[in-house]
Amino acid sequence: MTTSNSDLWMFNAILQARAIGYLRTNPDLTVHSTGGILPPYLGDIQTGDSLLYVFPELIGSEDILNALLAGERSRYTVHMINREDQNGKIGYFDLTLVSSAGKQAAQSTEGQEKRRFPLVAIWEDITSAGQVGQKLTQHRNDLTLLRNELAKQYSLLESTNHELRRTNQLKSKFVGVAAHELRSPLTSMLGYMELLQDDSFGPLTDQQQRFAATIDHSAHRLLSLLNNLMDITRLEVDNMDLNLEPTDLVQVIRHSEAEIRIQIDAKKQHLRIETEADRIIVLCDTARVQQIISNLLSNAGKYTPEGGDIRVTLSADPAFGYATVAVQDNGIGIAPDEIEHLFVSFFRASNASQLNATGAGLGLSIAASLTELHGGTMQVESELGHGSTFSFTLPLLDVQPADSAQALAAQTQPANYLG
Amino acid sequence: MLGEFSVGKTSLVRRFVYERFDDAYISTVGVKVSRKTIAVTRNDTLVDLTMMLWDLAGSEEFDQLQASYLRGSAGAILVCDLSRPETLPELLSYVDNLKALGLDIPLALAANKVDLIQDIGAREADVAALAEQINAAYFLTSAKSGDAVEYLFRELGQALLRQTSL
């Protein structure tokens, strides 16, 4: 076979295009000659250099080299060799060794010393592919490091969280015990105060009556606070038992409305109750649901100005199996960034003192927790300066539809409901 | 050089061979070989020892590749990252790989990134225990500051001379 100038031109064009270079060794593995592309990371290859000096990556592969020299193996490739040039720039190449033995090796006769044939070492620059591979590996390793770090942080947070929960439970237990111990003498004080106000120990002067009424009012506020503290601690330590029974939600609303009536009338507010059924039977602890509704109504009354409107709506959805109570007011509303904190114990909105409203920030927290304990959910919608709507759901048992318009949109009066 | 990714294998080699350090972590891919000739003592005389350092990617993908290079190795430096304690026990799997290939070669343990650790006490005890378990000398190294890096490679070089008839 002869090689024309055209073939040679094509051969060189291929070497250039693929960034391929080569060297031919002597049988003793020293460099005989070189050709093609020589990337900077390979340095200067001199005739007479050892192949193992030029490519130290082949050290340790002496058995393979011997097989190639003997013609017992035709080729050997080392993929993705990583080299750094003098400027610290990394290049990658594949190195293939080809034995020049061809068929001559097979012609060796037994007993004769094995011939050693020159090798051709061919390198192909794959820096672009190597860089892509490096980036992929880098990203994967970085991600793994990040994942491990996140796992560590998560574990640390879990541990801290566990400790915080434990501390919180201790706090709740302490508050619960303290509230209970404070309530016992308070109950006794309230009893004697009632006797005093009833003139059981002789008539009181007008001034004494006023003072006694103030003491009685304050003691009841204190009792209410202690009761709330006991409830919140019970809820926090999962120590609240419910006495579930079928209950008419309409009746519960009426009782709650009666309880709150004095507060509503004192501020000349308008309370309206709307129900779409005569009876809405839910499975609940009656006293606790009344507590939920009373808390919502009390809040609505506190944060609605004099003459404002409060509307309670009852609805039932038999298809989905729940009843909904919504308490809507046109009061001061809640800032959007505070809504998510509303059901956190002791949280009070920043505008809570606008209407001189007092409170410890426990009512909504208790109401939401009690709702959840019943398997329901509590939601709030509010617009600052325009009012709020708190609604909650309870598991529905039965509905007796309203058979007349009387159930809808009735302006409530205490006498009507209680009578 | 054996160990999990990002423990500092390449940085240790770079510090030893080129006396350089780069803070940026660049994953090694492929086959990276460096060489350095050091003077070590043998029978009270100084001899030149050329160390060829195979810096193998600390990645699962290269397990097969690692095996082929481990076969030709005369010694191994096992590297862990003191700031990632989990990289220390992982070294046992590399020792197992060497054993599986029938290699009984000198080992040295580099507990790297010591510059990042405030209180080394407890961690050094773990390193010492593992080093004793695999019969290797250990060094608390920092490729960043250069602490103990030269000692690490020289100790392995001396061990190579002791073990072989080079």
Side-chain angles (χ1 to χ4, degrees):
Chain A
M1 189 175 75
T2 58
T3 304
S4 68
N5 282 342
S6 167
D7 290 339
L8 200 57
W9 180 87
M10 256 196 333
F11 176 67
N12 282 325
I14 291 169
L15 297 185
Q16 292 284 339
R18 300 296 302 269
I20 292 172
Y22 62 90
L23 65 79
R24 181 183 159 88
T25 73
N26 297 306
D28 65 353
L29 280 185
T30 56
V31 176
H32 175 273
S33 56
T34 62
I37 303 300
L38 186 66
Y41 51 73
L42 284 184
D44 193 19
I45 301 175
Q46 299 288 334
T47 301
D49 282 349
S50 159
L51 184 69
L52 293 180
Y53 178 81
V54 176
F55 297 112
E57 294 84 3
L58 295 171
I59 293 175
S61 305
E62 287 81 357
D63 289 347
I64 294 170
L65 291 176
N66 282 329
L68 287 164
L69 286 168
E72 294 163 1
R73 182 171 180 152
S74 61
R75 65 169 54 208
Y76 172 58
T77 299
V78 182
H79 293 286
M80 188 83 81
I81 295 176
N82 173 328
R83 284 280 184 96
E84 201 169 326
D85 68 17
Q86 288 179 332
N87 300 318
K89 195 175 173 192
I90 295 172
Y92 301 91
F93 65 99
D94 286 343
L95 176 67
T96 300
L97 301 176
V98 180
S99 171
S100 67
K103 292 179 180 173
Q104 297 175 63
Q107 292 166 3
S108 308
T109 55
E110 203 174 329
Q112 285 183 319
E113 193 178 333
K114 279 184 179 174
R115 282 185 61 186
R116 289 165 70 87
F117 299 94
L119 305 183
V120 177
I122 304 162
W123 55 85
E124 179 177 0
D125 183 84
I126 55 163
T127 297
S128 297
Q131 285 171 341
V132 171
Q134 195 279 330
K135 276 183 185 163
L136 282 173
T137 304
Q138 180 92 31
H139 286 316
R140 187 187 54 205
N141 290 351
D142 285 343
L143 278 173
T144 306
L145 285 174
L146 196 60
R147 192 182 57 204
N148 292 345
E149 187 57 32
L150 280 173
K152 268 187 208 166
Q153 293 298 329
Y154 179 77
S155 169
L156 198 64
L157 280 173
E158 276 283 284
S159 163
T160 308
N161 201 20
H162 177 76
E163 188 58 27
L164 284 172
R165 273 201 300 268
R166 203 182 66 84
T167 309
N168 193 42
Q169 282 194 341
L170 282 176
K171 180 266 302 175
S172 296
K173 200 171 175 180
F174 169 76
V175 171
V177 169
H180 183 265
E181 293 303 313
L182 286 169
R183 197 175 63 164
S184 300
L186 185 62
T187 309
S188 170
M189 287 160 65
L190 280 167
Y192 280 109
M193 184 54 62
E194 194 177 338
L195 289 174
L196 278 174
Q197 288 179 307
D198 287 350
D199 294 340
S200 300
F201 303 107
L204 299 177
T205 65
D206 287 349
Q207 189 181 44
Q208 286 169 336
Q209 279 287 0
R210 283 200 306 278
F211 288 172
T214 302
I215 292 170
D216 185 63
H217 177 69
S218 297
H220 271 100
R221 274 184 57 196
L222 188 55
L223 181 64
S224 170
L225 176 63
L226 292 173
N227 284 337
N228 278 343
L229 278 173
M230 288 180 69
D231 283 346
I232 206 77
T233 51
R234 280 194 199 120
L235 287 164
E236 278 180 0
V237 297
D238 295 330
N239 194 24
M240 170 85 72
D241 293 325
L242 295 181
N243 181 23
L244 297 177
E245 57 187 352
T247 303
D248 181 3
L249 203 49
V250 176
Q251 287 300 321
V252 177
I253 297 277
R254 287 177 176 172
H255 284 298
S256 299
E257 187 271 344
E259 270 186 359
I260 202 77
R261 174 52 62 184
I262 293 173
Q263 181 190 328
I264 298 291
D265 287 348
K267 290 180 78 174
K268 299 182 178 61
Q269 293 163 333
H270 309 286
L271 174 61
R272 186 180 176 84
I273 296 176
E274 298 173 6
T275 173
E276 60 181 31
D278 283 343
R279 297 180 74 214
I280 296 177
I281 309 300
V282 293
L283 186 64
C284 71
D285 182 320
T286 309
R288 291 301 181 185
V289 168
Q290 188 157 335
Q291 187 178 358
I292 296 170
I293 297 167
S294 295
N295 282 357
L296 295 183
L297 279 174
S298 171
N299 263 17
K302 273 191 218 172
Y303 300 114
T304 299
E306 280 198 12
D309 295 318
I310 297 166
R311 189 172 69 158
V312 180
T313 311
L314 280 85
S315 58
D317 190 336
F320 287 97
Y322 62 80
T324 302
V325 179
V327 178
Q328 184 180 21
D329 65 61
N330 62 349
I332 58 176
I334 304 145
D337 59 337
E338 292 185 323
I339 286 179
E340 64 177 302
H341 306 296
L342 275 182
F343 301 121
V344 176
S345 300
F346 304 106
F347 176 82
R348 297 198 75 208
S350 55
N351 60 350
S353 57
Q354 268 184 24
L355 300 175
N356 296 322
T358 57
L362 290 174
L364 283 179
S365 172
I366 291 171
S369 297
L370 286 173
T371 302
E372 281 178 20
L373 209 57
H374 280 86
T377 57
M378 182 167 284
Q379 292 183 319
V380 57
E381 290 174 20
S382 186
E383 190 178 348
L384 194 60
H386 292 89
S388 308
T389 303
F390 288 85
S391 57
F392 68 96
T393 58
L394 290 171
L396 180 67
L397 286 183
D398 193 19
V399 182
Q400 185 178 321
D403 49 20
S404 68
Q406 71 177 49
L408 292 172
Q411 178 69 42
T412 66
Q413 294 296 329
N416 292 348
Y417 281 112
L418 296 174
Chain B
M1 307 295 294
L2 297 171
E4 294 296 285
F5 68 89
S6 192
V7 293
K9 299 182 293 294
T10 304
S11 293
L12 284 170
V13 172
R14 185 170 286 160
R15 167 61 69 185
F16 176 59
V17 177
Y18 306 108
E19 295 183 1
R20 286 205 317 250
F21 177 78
D22 188 349
D23 246 328
Y25 165 53
I26 298 173
S27 309
T28 303
V29 293
V31 182
K32 191 178 179 72
V33 179
S34 305
R35 102 181 90 197
K36 182 169 179 174
T37 301
I38 56 172
V40 289
T41 55
R42 186 172 63 174
N43 301 330
D44 296 332
T45 55
L46 277 179
V47 294
D48 279 347
L49 176 71
T50 299
M51 300 181 82
M52 304 299 305
L53 303 165
W54 263 260
D55 180 9
L56 299 179
S59 162
E60 291 170 11
E61 276 182 25
F62 288 90
D63 272 1
Q64 279 302 110
L65 194 66
Q66 283 188 352
S68 68
Y69 282 99
L70 289 181
R71 282 193 193 93
S73 59
I77 291 176
L78 300 154
V79 188
C80 70
D81 176 353
L82 282 168
S83 69
R84 287 158 60 207
E86 69 276 10
T87 59
L88 177 66
E90 291 293 333
L91 295 178
L92 288 173
S93 65
Y94 292 92
V95 176
D96 289 342
N97 286 344
L98 291 170
K99 282 181 185 165
L101 293 168
L103 291 168
D104 182 20
I105 55 177
L107 304 175
L109 198 164
N112 197 30
K113 305 190 188 180
V114 68
D115 55 287
L116 296 180
I117 307 301
Q118 297 291 329
D119 181 14
I120 191 66
R123 294 192 191 178
E124 183 173 3
D126 292 339
V127 172
L130 193 130
E132 188 178 357
Q133 185 183 342
I134 62 175
N135 192 28
Y138 75 88
F139 299 85
L140 305 178
T141 59
S142 166
K144 186 172 187 175
S145 67
D147 279 2
V149 175
E150 189 79 16
Y151 293 129
L152 166 72
F153 286 95
R154 284 188 172 279
E155 169 59 28
L156 185 67
Q158 289 289 167
L160 288 171
L161 282 184
R162 282 195 298 271
Q163 173 130 337
T164 66
S165 54
L166 288 172

